[in-house]
Amino acid sequence: MQIDIAAAEAAPGAVADPPLRARPWLRALDNGLGHLVEIPAALLVVAEIAVLLSGVVSRYLLHAPLVWSDELAGILFLWLAMLGAVVAFRRAEHMRMTALVAMAGPRTRAFLDTVALVAGLIFVALVLHPAYEFASEEIFVQTPALELNNAWRAAALPVGFGLMLAIALIRLAETADWRLTAGALALGIGVAAGVTALQPVLSGLGNINLLLFFVLGVGALVFSGVPIAFAFGLSTFAYITLTTNAPSMVVVGRMDEGMSHLILLAVPLFVFLGLLIEMTGMARAMVGFLASLLGHVRGGLSYVLVGAMYLVSGISGSKAADMAAVAPVLFPEMKARGAKEGDLVALLSATGAQTETIPPSIVLITIGSVTGVSITALFTGGLMPGLVLAVTLCALVWWRYRGEDLSHVARPSGRVIGKTFLVALPALALPFVIRFAVVEGIATATEVSTIGIVYAVLAGLLIYRQFAWGRLYPMLVMTATLSGAILLIIGAATGMAWALTQSGFSQTLASAMTSLPGGALGFLFVSAVAFVILGSVLEGIPAIVLFGPLLFPIARTVGVHEVHYAMVVILAMGVGLFAPPFGVGYYAACAISRIHPDAGMRPIVGYILALLVGLLVIILVPWFSIGFL
């Protein structure tokens, strides 16, 4: 699952950026760097769509596969990931947990924001030279199909880190209060020097270092508001360089491996597809049809919200896109009927967790890429668990709205319902088109998003006549930005997972988990509790990248089907992600709804309990996850 964390930070009560002073030459330099990075990042999204679509057309329609299409897509993909990460860094849109930072006073918040910036600066400064070394060694590798020097691909790493370093320096120079900058730099340099001085002691601590670097270190960085990718990266770099004999270039190599899985190309393409369905009016058409069916019953629009999130999630794969497409359409009418703002944002958050398993969920794609589980099986298994949670949410909606007064609401005629159905039919068909293309082998899980993009463009131009050409460039940049933020986390988490594996932690964890009382059921319950916590602290994707390769083999050992296990951990992470006070998904829902986070704190408790009841059903009845495989 992916949430637009930038949106969360723009929510009422969220953490503000540190105050900046207006220096024209700095601002001009910053804007110039922005254009230098954003334009090629947007073009790379277009290029990836074109390359993958060409591969589908050539293979399926012309029966002449392009042997070089995946290779070229992989080369461009690393550049897209790094340039997107640079844009996210410049816009302060890397994922971070700000729940505790938001509770601090304005002065402390400004200092912690500056510390987060300094942490990013230190990380990119540390890995810049190893990234250059890594790219230099790739000169001796040649790609098989295009016969290109692989350094053309690997050069994305030092270029991206170099640009982030330049942006960090500009941002620090722009900070209005030099004391914030000096204090943050002194803190960062002091911690780095202190840890380095302790190297002789750390070398003799063995696996206690795992606790120091990956629990205390990561925890301190994440809770202080440092972006998750940099928190992972700094801890991993420090652990490897100070406690092992491995060269620092290993960190960059593991990051490259994590960001280079071709299956992850689905991330930017599905993000762009989600933006397209909102822009073309397809989401509005689906919501309109559901509202005509259920809008006249008690709690009807709440049922529509649950159903609309289920349908839209089957298209976009991005929770931010889902919520942004549905909430603006439904919330004004729901408020007019007397619904309280807190209940609206609470239900929107709950539906975000409910639909985590609906294909083409980005978390499903990530699980497939890091554990080897079939993406097609995950897509098939993800439909029913989302439906089970929808039923538990609807049961609570029925209870809460059983006394709603709808005397002023007119029931639409069959003619009106039929008309809205015909309008919505092309949009309703899109999830089935995507699923059909994967199941029938027309396109892979990576390529199928391009079919959805073409479908959405044609529907917007020819059917809904709603296609704002002026919004395309911002949408492409937003796609690159969000994708870069996600992929940098995956890269950093891959490095951390490698360090954990090399330390022997995976064997210790496997031994502990397989000896749990209760067998398979006990393992599932412990995993669910663990991933609720991980989902609230780390967010879904880094948690999966870190612990998926460790826990999925254990699940097979104790007799749990890997698809069933995937559904349990995804839904558990979803509950953690959308549950306040730490779940950042909740704050994203508040931002999209323009509702203060405090308003939904009480109403969301009931919805979280409903989700947990649904999760319990999924754990106890594996058929819901694997019955259609």
Side-chain angles (χ1 to χ4, degrees):
M1 174 281 149
Q2 178 48 41
I3 287 296
D4 185 351
I5 304 303
E9 293 182 357
V15 178
D17 290 332
L20 303 178
R21 55 175 164 241
R23 287 188 174 178
W25 66 273
L26 279 175
R27 182 58 58 196
L29 181 59
D30 180 60
N31 290 336
L33 268 178
H35 291 305
L36 180 66
V37 178
E38 290 177 2
I39 293 173
L43 292 175
L44 282 169
V45 176
V46 176
E48 292 287 20
I49 295 170
V51 170
L52 290 179
L53 185 61
S54 298
V56 174
V57 172
S58 180
R59 182 181 65 250
Y60 189 75
L61 295 181
L62 305 180
H63 305 290
L66 300 177
V67 295
W68 49 264
S69 61
D70 283 354
E71 191 173 286
L72 178 59
I75 294 172
L76 298 177
F77 183 47
L78 186 59
W79 280 95
L80 172 59
M82 289 307 299
L83 293 184
V86 173
V87 178
F89 189 71
R90 177 177 175 269
R91 296 183 172 191
E93 293 182 8
H94 276 288
M95 301 177 190
R96 51 192 296 234
M97 198 192 81
T98 58
L100 293 183
V101 180
M103 299 177 187
R107 181 75 178 174
T108 304
R109 289 203 303 267
F111 176 71
L112 290 174
D113 284 337
T114 309
V115 167
L117 181 60
V118 168
L121 183 150
I122 292 174
F123 173 69
V124 296
L126 289 172
V127 298
L128 184 56
H129 183 66
Y132 173 77
E133 289 183 324
F134 178 80
S136 299
E137 291 199 359
E138 293 296 300
I139 291 175
F140 305 104
V141 180
Q142 191 177 56
T143 61
L146 294 173
E147 297 184 350
L148 292 174
N149 191 313
N150 203 46
W152 286 105
R153 185 191 71 86
L157 293 163
V159 170
F161 290 134
L163 288 168
M164 279 190 263
L165 180 61
I167 290 169
L169 292 172
I170 292 172
R171 283 287 185 270
L172 285 177
E174 287 181 312
T175 304
D177 191 338
W178 64 267
R179 287 171 295 186
L180 290 177
T181 301
L185 284 171
L187 178 62
I189 295 171
V191 171
V195 174
T196 304
L198 290 173
Q199 182 176 10
V201 177
L202 296 172
S203 300
L205 293 181
N207 281 347
I208 295 178
N209 286 314
L210 298 178
L211 176 66
L212 295 177
F213 286 94
F214 297 136
V215 178
L216 299 179
V218 170
L221 291 169
V222 168
F223 283 106
S224 62
V226 173
I228 293 172
F230 300 133
F232 284 4
L234 281 169
S235 299
T236 304
F237 188 93
Y239 174 81
I240 287 177
T241 56
L242 297 177
T243 68
T244 73
N245 295 321
S248 57
M249 193 172 66
V250 168
V251 179
V252 178
R254 295 308 97 194
M255 291 184 70
D256 173 66
E257 179 187 352
M259 292 189 290
S260 296
H261 286 292
L262 197 60
I263 190 67
L264 292 175
L265 251 176
V267 172
L269 301 187
F270 274 118
V271 169
F272 184 64
L273 177 57
L275 297 173
L276 269 180
I277 66 160
E278 186 275 328
M279 187 258 277
T280 56
M282 297 176 72
R284 183 178 293 272
M286 284 190 289
V287 172
F289 167 62
L290 292 174
S292 70
L293 281 179
L294 299 170
H296 59 281
V297 302
R298 290 186 175 91
L301 292 183
S302 295
Y303 299 135
V304 171
L305 177 58
V306 174
M309 285 291 288
Y310 187 96
L311 287 175
V312 173
S313 291
I315 300 175
S316 74
S318 166
K319 287 296 151 294
D322 301 342
M323 293 189 292
V326 172
V329 179
L330 282 177
F331 278 15
E333 178 61 24
M334 295 175 79
K335 289 178 181 178
R337 295 190 183 189
K340 296 179 180 178
E341 285 190 339
D343 199 51
L344 295 181
V345 75
L347 182 56
L348 182 64
S349 298
T351 57
Q354 166 228 332
T355 54
E356 285 283 63
T357 64
I358 309 300
S361 163
I362 293 173
V363 179
L364 288 179
I365 296 167
T366 304
I367 283 181
S369 72
V370 301
T371 66
V373 180
S374 165
I375 298 291
T376 302
L378 290 170
F379 277 15
T380 302
L383 293 169
M384 282 300 292
L387 194 58
V388 170
L389 265 65
V391 170
T392 61
L393 288 177
C394 287
L396 181 57
V397 167
W398 172 83
W399 174 259
R400 286 188 170 179
Y401 288 91
R402 64 192 185 281
E404 185 181 15
D405 179 16
L406 294 180
S407 58
H408 60 288
V409 178
R411 180 169 185 165
S413 64
R415 181 188 180 101
V416 171
I417 295 175
K419 183 178 179 180
T420 57
F421 172 72
L422 290 176
V423 171
L425 188 58
L428 294 170
L430 181 52
F432 299 98
V433 170
I434 290 175
R435 176 171 165 73
F436 177 81
V438 174
V439 173
E440 296 301 317
I442 298 173
T444 65
T446 304
E447 298 167 333
V448 73
S449 53
T450 62
I451 295 176
I453 288 170
V454 172
Y455 184 100
V457 169
L458 292 176
L461 290 172
L462 304 178
I463 300 175
Y464 295 106
R465 305 291 179 90
Q466 185 174 327
F467 201 90
W469 292 98
R471 290 180 59 187
L472 277 183
Y473 176 71
M475 286 165 55
L476 291 169
V477 174
M478 187 183 302
T479 298
T481 304
L482 187 54
S483 303
I486 295 170
L487 294 166
L488 191 65
I489 282 183
I490 291 176
T494 302
M496 188 186 293
W498 180 85
L500 290 171
T501 302
Q502 295 302 308
S503 69
F505 173 76
S506 58
Q507 290 80 8
T508 304
L509 179 65
S511 175
M513 295 293 279
T514 51
S515 61
L516 287 171
L521 200 58
F523 175 72
L524 285 172
F525 277 117
V526 170
S527 295
V529 172
F531 276 98
V532 168
I533 297 170
L534 288 170
S536 66
V537 176
L538 292 182
E539 210 265 336
I541 288 175
I544 278 294
V545 177
L546 271 177
F547 294 100
L550 303 179
L551 294 178
F552 272 74
I554 302 173
R556 287 190 288 267
T557 301
V558 300
V560 178
H561 195 286
E562 54 194 8
V563 174
H564 179 211
Y565 188 62
M567 299 306 133
V568 172
V569 300
I570 290 173
L571 291 174
M573 285 189 306
V575 172
L577 179 66
F578 284 91
F582 297 124
V584 73
Y586 173 74
Y587 299 103
C590 292
I592 290 166
S593 310
R594 298 298 172 190
I595 295 173
H596 197 283
D598 292 349
M601 290 291 185
R602 185 184 295 272
I604 201 173
V605 173
Y607 290 119
I608 294 296
L609 291 176
L611 291 173
L612 291 174
V613 170
L615 176 59
L616 178 64
V617 173
I618 299 302
I619 291 174
L620 296 177
V621 188
W623 180 86
F624 287 121
S625 302
I626 61 177
F628 295 95
L629 299 182

